[in-house]
Amino acid sequence: MEIVLPDSGLRLVPRKIICVGKNYARHAAELNSTVPEEPILFLKPPTALIGSGGTVLLPPQSREVHHEVELVVVIGREGKRIAEEEALDYVAGYALGLDMTARDLQQKAKEAGYPWTVSKGFDTFAPLGPLVSASAVSDPQQVRLRLKVNGVVRQDGTTADMVFSVAQLIAYCSKIFTLQPGDLLFTGTPEGVGPVHEGDVLEAESDVLPPLRVDVQRA
């Protein structure tokens, strides 16, 4: 899936989808987990991306796939070891996204001490809404995130509750990965995650970002 960087119009296939786990304290609590002392990162492949209007495919390997609504950051220029106070200068835009998670597979992996890659990386497991320019979001720490499943609100939170801010996440990630134009950073989800089923319609909404709508089918 190609994305178009706001303002520049540059068309790119993201090389990296960097995701953050347990970045909201109440979400960590609902998973019976502790708040991390530093960001927990994992990756999704670019084949996980679908756009608004697409279909999330439930894989045959899992019987419990959960929704997680998130603020997504789009990187606009290359950077390495970025200072936190300069981090937002590297943002080209923002969007709503969903980090779909095969929770049963994730739990099994956790119990065995294995990575989460399988539970997070299936095709269609990274729905991405329309992008807006970074200038359209005056403060990424004041963004409302809401997710409806079949018209019923499941998640309703704000990025003000993040454990690690967008600037902190960019600075931290850039110490590990060289950030490149088109890279996507899924910044974590507020509480209220839950299962989805075949036939469901998921609608992510925000006060400052365009909506994201996908349906759910069994692969």
Side-chain angles (χ1 to χ4, degrees), residues 166-197:
V166 169
Q168 288 173 317
L169 292 174
I170 292 171
Y172 181 85
C173 291
S174 74
K175 295 175 183 177
I176 304 165
F177 317 103
T178 296
L179 298 181
Q180 298 166 305
D183 284 350
L184 301 175
L185 175 60
F186 281 62
T187 58
T189 192
E191 74 276 14
V193 303
V196 300
H197 304 95

Side-chain angles (χ1 to χ4, degrees), residues 57-105:
L57 298 176
L58 303 177
Q61 297 95 324
S62 174
R63 307 311 299 180
E64 187 183 2
V65 173
H66 283 201
H67 58 74
E68 300 186 13
V69 67
E70 312 204 357
L71 172 68
V72 180
V73 177
V74 185
I75 299 299
R77 60 190 178 100
E78 186 168 304
K80 179 72 174 176
R81 299 186 183 90
I82 300 167
E84 183 179 328
E85 58 270 20
E86 299 174 356
L88 296 185
D89 295 338
Y90 288 77
V91 177
Y94 298 96
L96 288 169
L98 295 174
D99 168 19
M100 306 304 298
T101 304
R103 193 71 71 200
D104 50 353
L105 301 185

Side-chain angles (χ1 to χ4, degrees), residues 23-24 71 73 88 94 137-144 158-169 187:
N23 199 30
Y24 290 75
L71 172 68
V73 177
L88 296 185
Y94 298 96
V137 179
S138 59
D139 184 355
Q141 301 312 134
Q142 296 293 329
V143 177
R144 183 86 173 270
T158 171
T159 57
D161 293 333
M162 284 182 177
V163 177
F164 304 102
S165 69
V166 169
Q168 288 173 317
L169 292 174
T187 58

